[in-house]
Amino acid sequence: MSPAPTTATLPFDIAGHLGDPAELGNPDDLVGPAEATRVLRLDPLPEEVLQRAEPGPRGPAQWRRVGLWQFALTQTIPYDDHGDPDEEIGSTEAGRIIHRRPEKLPRGLLDLATPQHDTSGRFVRRVWTRATVWHYALTQLAVGATVLDGRLYLDRAGVAALAGVTIGHVDKWIKAADTINFPARHHGRWYDAQDIQQWRADQVDAQHPAPITTSGDDPNELLTKTQIVVDLYGYTNPNAINNMPLWQRLLEANSPEHNVDDTPRGRRWPRHVAVELRNNPLPRGRTPGSTARNRVIDTSGDPDDELSAAQVARAFGYSHVSSLPPAVLAAADTVTYTSEGKVKARRWKRGTIHRLASTLGAAD
């Protein structure tokens, strides 16, 4: 999971009850004074907040969480949310709502106006409904977080605050949106907070997947990328892993003799290779190939010789089989399994070690 959210930069606290960073606040929750104080970061609560309280099962001092968020936005944008949403208003009232002089109204708001004309067709004034001005304030003037139709939305800065990353990191997610299934934008520049939270949870699941086995399947069956990513790993898009270390490790483990041609579409992997890489993720901070890269590897001997795991470990300069990197384990030429589907033994041809030496390290 990402670091704890740094939501102090947002106009109100978006976390769930008692500030649990793993849980977004439910807009429909009824909360008491202590939680209202935490959400608004105001102590004591101002008179206007007290006036917005509604009767609840535990006493009169109760607020809908979404109502607290909306109040916070009136103070930070700022704007005035009082009045009939369908009432038509002119430039003076529109300016008062968003704290601007009538002659200084933003171009974006002017573009939303309905022009009124007299009987001769001469322009008289611009009019808006209050709801139109409120929507403009909430989508164009809010920063970090906003509330639209009772739902919480975040801009790029808000997403960064929720995820505990930099805005630049969020921009990378947005750029790769089609590949990593990053949530779509709404109302121009806003992302549904619940969609972001769910996407983050899905990313964590992808990094810590449930183990898969080859039980009942031929472990040496050659699979395409689509068969591996969609059928074996369970993603909906074959390109879903393109920005993950897992894809780089699959590329490193690819053997030319398994491919049908030299094009990307011609790549093939034995089923057991795909399973090994998925079930043995790299430790945090390790990059694909880093465990064996730049090691001195023994490539002497007949390429057709078969080697045990212990012999391969010695060839790579490791003192124990457990030190072999996943890319080497996945490149085993033959793998035998127990009746429970667990790996019993692996063997490599020395020629495979020669090939790995050229991609993972420097040969003698």
Side-chain angles (χ1 to χ4, degrees), residues 110-282:
L110 293 176
D111 292 341
L112 297 175
T114 299
Q116 284 190 342
H117 302 84
D118 61 18
T119 54
S120 65
R122 185 180 62 181
F123 172 78
V124 176
R125 66 168 187 161
R126 297 181 177 89
V127 296
W128 301 261
T129 63
R130 286 187 187 276
T132 298
V133 180
W134 295 343
H135 188 270
Y136 176 84
L138 292 168
T139 57
Q140 304 302 315
L141 304 182
V143 175
T146 194
V147 176
L148 299 166
D149 300 321
R151 294 185 66 86
L152 177 64
Y153 288 85
L154 305 172
D155 63 10
R156 291 164 49 250
V159 173
L162 176 64
V165 300
T166 65
I167 295 178
H169 200 90
V170 174
D171 288 339
K172 291 179 181 178
W173 289 341
I174 294 171
K175 186 176 181 180
D178 291 341
T179 300
I180 64 176
N181 296 319
F182 190 74
R185 273 194 298 262
H186 301 273
H187 305 285
R189 62 187 177 95
W190 297 97
Y191 297 87
D192 189 301
Q194 289 291 348
D195 290 348
I196 295 295
Q197 191 79 323
Q198 183 60 56
W199 178 80
R200 293 177 65 230
D202 292 344
Q203 293 295 103
V204 171
D205 290 343
Q207 293 170 18
H208 301 85
I212 53 177
T213 72
T214 57
S215 179
D217 296 306
D218 178 3
N220 296 311
E221 178 188 2
L222 296 179
L223 304 178
T224 65
K225 178 185 178 183
T226 297
Q227 289 173 313
I228 291 172
V229 178
V230 177
D231 299 338
L232 193 60
Y233 293 170
Y235 293 95
T236 57
N237 184 344
N239 296 319
I241 68 169
N242 283 7
N243 288 347
M244 298 181 188
L246 179 58
W247 175 233
Q248 183 60 38
R249 295 168 66 209
L250 276 167
L251 291 176
E252 289 183 353
N254 180 254
S255 298
E257 61 266 27
H258 293 148
N259 300 336
V260 297
D261 56 47
D262 294 332
T263 67
R265 288 182 177 273
R267 296 188 184 116
R268 300 291 187 272
W269 291 263
R271 182 183 296 274
H272 72 83
V273 169
V275 172
E276 288 288 336
L277 293 178
R278 176 64 179 267
N279 289 350
N280 295 279
L282 287 175

Side-chain angles (χ1 to χ4, degrees), residues 46 63 93 104 138 145 167 230 243 269 273-274 298 339-340 353:
W63 296 264
E93 181 62 5
K104 297 291 185 180
L138 292 168
I167 295 178
V230 177
N243 288 347
W269 291 263
V273 169
D298 180 7
S339 58
E340 291 81 20
I353 304 306

